[in-house]
């Protein structure tokens, strides 16, 4: 029964949004009944969180040796959660969970911490590898990267595309990378693997192929990277 109820909850969530959901409708769609659902899940938010967490599965930090690629893909782990939700759903679900400390903790443990930890692991690996400056404020950088996803998911004023993610990664790396040009070169050299690096052919190539791209010149101009500030300056 658990699988059919979770699937019914996710299907209806996409069809009617979180505010349109009810335990009765989920039970009917799953071929079950209200009492049976409540015996397994104490509330509608608990059921939705369980269904989303099960769909998300285990979050693994990418590690291909390419900092640009790995950061982009790790951030998209956040997106994989929120792209499954109608625009109003995340804010409504969080509001319901905030009323109960245990539900809020489940929300954070299911939808927030796992992808955040994956991005953090990529940043730690990049710092240890010498790709990012030793004086990088890792926690601040982590929040800056994640905020692109969370801000748009909560307020639903604009979608977050894969190009948006990669633009953000390039923009931030220009400020914290030890050698930004070298990271771009590594990313371009990895394009031979179509399963991992097919997107990272260089922002210049993407813009040439897509007239009218919104990517700013400040992000894609790799000819004159900003001066790197040494640790302790």
């Amino acid at each position: 029964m658990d699988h059919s109820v979770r699937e019914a909850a996710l299907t209806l969530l996409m069809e009617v949004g979180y505010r349109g959901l009810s335990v009765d409708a989920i039970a009917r769609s799953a071929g079950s009944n209200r009492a049976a659902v409540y015996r397994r899940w104490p509330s509608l938010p608990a059921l939705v969180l369980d269904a989303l967490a099960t769909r998300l599965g285990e979050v693994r930090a990418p590690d291909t040796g390419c900092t640009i690629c790995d950061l982009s893909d790790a951030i998209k782990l956040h997106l994989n959660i929120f792209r499954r939700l109608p625009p109003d759903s995340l804010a409504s679900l969080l509001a319901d969970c905030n009323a109960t400390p245990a539900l809020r903790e489940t929300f954070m443990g299911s939808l927030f911490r796992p992808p955040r930890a994956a991005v953090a692991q990529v940043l730690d690996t990049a710092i240890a590898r010498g790709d990012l400056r030793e004086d990088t404020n890792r926690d601040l950088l982590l929040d800056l990267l994640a905020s692109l996803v969370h801000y748009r998911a909560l307020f639903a004023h604009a979608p977050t595309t894969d190009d948006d993610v990669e633009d953000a990664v390039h923009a931030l790396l220009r400020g914290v990378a030890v050698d930004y040009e070298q990271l771009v070169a590594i990313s371009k050299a990895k394009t031979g693997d179509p399963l991992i690096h097919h997107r990272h052919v260089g922002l210049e190539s993407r813009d040439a192929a897509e007239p009218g791209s919104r990517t700013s010149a400040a992000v894609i101009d790799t000819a004159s990277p900003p001066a790197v500030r040494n640790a302790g300056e």
Side-chain angles (χ1 to χ4, degrees):
M1 183 191 82
D2 284 8
H3 175 74
S4 61
V5 171
R6 291 190 187 102
E7 288 300 308
L10 292 175
T11 298
L12 289 174
L13 178 64
M14 295 304 299
E15 291 176 355
V16 303
Y18 180 75
R19 285 304 176 195
L21 275 182
S22 70
V23 171
D24 286 339
I26 293 171
R28 285 195 300 271
S29 180
S32 184
N33 59 75
R34 177 188 178 92
V37 172
Y38 272 118
R39 281 196 296 271
R40 177 64 178 83
W41 294 276
S43 65
L44 177 63
L47 168 55
V48 173
L49 287 174
D50 182 42
L52 288 170
T54 301
R55 176 70 62 85
L56 176 63
E58 183 180 0
V59 177
R60 295 178 179 270
D63 185 8
T64 68
C66 171
T67 292
I68 291 174
C69 308
D70 291 346
L71 274 179
S72 297
D73 288 345
I75 295 169
K76 290 166 193 173
L77 293 173
H78 286 269
L79 285 176
N80 286 340
I81 301 171
F82 303 135
R83 280 173 173 165
R84 294 172 179 148
L85 301 175
D88 70 316
S89 296
L90 182 66
S92 299
L93 176 59
L94 179 58
D96 277 0
C97 291
N98 276 336
T100 306
L103 274 177
R104 175 177 171 79
E105 177 60 27
T106 300
F107 180 98
M108 299 297 286
S110 300
L111 304 184
F112 181 80
R113 294 195 189 102
R116 178 183 171 85
V119 177
Q121 185 174 337
V122 172
L123 289 174
D124 289 340
T125 299
I127 293 171
R129 192 164 51 222
D131 287 347
L132 305 186
R133 297 201 314 249
E134 291 182 357
D135 65 342
T136 296
N137 186 330
R138 177 263 215 181
D139 290 338
L140 178 60
L141 183 58
L142 177 58
D143 282 338
L144 287 171
L145 290 166
S147 65
L148 171 67
V149 177
H150 296 149
Y151 182 81
R152 290 185 174 182
L154 281 171
F155 292 99
H157 66 288
T160 304
T161 67
D162 286 355
D163 284 353
D164 290 333
V165 171
E166 293 180 20
D167 289 350
V169 167
H170 278 268
L172 288 171
L173 285 179
R174 287 179 64 86
V176 299
V178 171
D179 188 339
Y180 173 72
E181 284 190 339
Q182 177 64 15
L183 294 186
V184 172
I186 291 173
S187 178
K188 289 180 179 180
K190 296 281 188 177
T191 58
D193 186 342
L195 297 179
I196 299 175
H197 303 282
H198 61 286
R199 294 177 306 278
H200 306 290
V201 295
L203 294 178
E204 301 93 332
S205 300
R206 191 186 73 205
D207 286 351
E210 300 178 7
S213 170
R214 295 177 292 104
T215 307
S216 68
V219 174
I220 67 173
D221 178 16
T222 63
S224 302
V228 175
R229 178 168 60 87
N230 292 326
E233 281 187 358

